[in-house]
Amino acid sequence: MIIKQRVKGFVCLTAHPIGCKQNVREQIGFVETNFTKSSNLPKNVLVIGGTTGYGLASALTASFGCDANVLCVGYEKQADNGRTATAGFYNSSAFLEYASLQGKYAKCVFGDAFSDKCKSMVADIVSTEMGKIDLLIYSLASPKRLHPKTGVLYQSVLKPYGKEFVSKNLVMETGVINQVTLQPATLQEKENTIAVMGGEDWRLWIEFLSQKNLLSANAKTIAYSYIGPKFTHAIYKDGTIGAAKQHLKDTADSLNVDFGSSGLRAYVSIQKALVTQASSAIPVVPLYISILYDIMKKSNTHEHCIEQIVRLFKKLTTKIELDKEGYIRLDDWEMDKVVQDEVARRWNIVDTDNVNALADIEGYKSDFLKLFGFGHGSIDYEKDIEEKANEKNVVFI
Ligand code: NAD
């Protein structure tokens, strides 16, 4: 099969197994050379949403940095009827293969993490093959959620709330900077987004594993979030997704009250804005990320998911510092005043004529294609390849 990139809007409909495998190998290499082991490493790690982006980086750091047994959950699809598998499928397949080569325990469950069936399957695997979970990473980004108790299907929206938002925006396909007017979400849309991306499912996971006695004493759980600068607040922090992220933080606080006596500690970690399948769907944000990339690359502070997560795991296994609102902050370099002043200066003057000088459009596009395994100079994309990926240690539900 010859696999070509087929980009449609903010998704790529194809994925390249060899390119995805190379992405995973590069991330493992980074972990192996940059993560210093301490005595306080997690032994059994569950990553919900562990097949792409921040979750995959978490699974790789747990496995190759901490030598932990790792179980991942993701919503991924096998190749079918001439379609390639999803990038997350190929990433996981590569992760499992490299883990197995080093004699490590790693497994992936592909199914709907919101369902009771998935939680039961994970609990069975944990109890029969792993022991108790001491770190649960919650890294889901989903457009919808079928509620396991009520059967209601919730759709999330990425909209401002309260009033419309007028902003500069980059049309990635053409490089044109236009002005977009985003209409505010209704209260119902905001509540639906909270139902999908808020903390209810995170809490259900913790309650379920706790009832089954599958959380170790002093277990930690972390969910990922974002805040960003003022000029993206209308679409992120103060928008529907921000409301869901506030619910996630409220959930962490309530988990700490309800499960604190068992030693569980729940955290929300604020991560840097990066190109992932989830973030490329948010209006306005790709222009911000492109400007940010240019500034951070020039100041040598640019990180990808793996650098961010290695830095997070160093904190987790040594000293966890929280800001005054109780967040772990990994967006510190992004939110540095010098960086943000320069982003704001460029944001005010950026237009179609100067965007290539002020923003790293090529870096954005290249990172986007890389998510799907494309754009590696060392790979011959004209070559007919065997599409079949390793399915050992994969459980489909
Ligand atoms: P991503 O799209 O790369 O990863 C999403 C993961 O969720 C994948 O593993 C996918 O398979 C899984 N998933 C989605 N729906 C599922 C379902 N129903 N069942 C099982 N698995 C499912 O996204 P990401 O950017 O890595 O986002 C992960 C988290 O990090 C999100 O909470 C996001 O808000 C947060 N975050 C992202 C950024 C960013 O800039 N990308 C910044 C800060 C925080």
Side-chain angles (χ1 to χ4, degrees), residues 49 51-52 54 75-76 111-113 139-141 225 245 272 274 276 278:
T51 53
T52 57
Y54 275 117
Y75 195 73
E76 305 301 346
D112 181 7
S139 186
L140 278 192
S225 185
K245 293 298 186 185
K272 179 196 180 196
L274 278 173
T276 62

Side-chain angles (χ1 to χ4, degrees), residues 1 3 15-18 20-21 77-80 83-97 110 385-394 396:
M1 188 178 191
I3 304 174
H16 201 281
I18 300 175
C20 290
K21 189 171 184 179
K77 296 256 181 304
Q78 287 159 292
D80 182 25
R83 299 177 82 132
T84 69
T86 54
F89 182 94
Y90 294 134
N91 294 337
S92 307
S93 171
F95 163 41
L96 296 173
E97 192 180 325
F110 292 155
I385 56 157
E386 168 73 66
E387 188 284 327
K388 187 105 187 85
N390 158 56
E391 289 183 14
K392 201 174 149 219
N393 292 325
V394 171
F396 294 95

Side-chain angles (χ1 to χ4, degrees), residues 199-200 202-221 251-266:
E200 188 190 15
W202 185 21
R203 171 175 270 275
L204 288 175
W205 273 101
I206 295 294
E207 286 175 354
F208 187 73
L209 293 173
S210 167
Q211 277 157 17
K212 299 259 174 194
N213 199 20
L214 292 174
L215 292 177
S216 64
N218 305 320
K220 294 186 183 84
T221 184
T251 303
D253 294 342
S254 69
L255 286 174
N256 284 328
V257 172
D258 300 345
F259 292 87
S261 59
S262 67
L264 180 90
R265 283 289 298 155

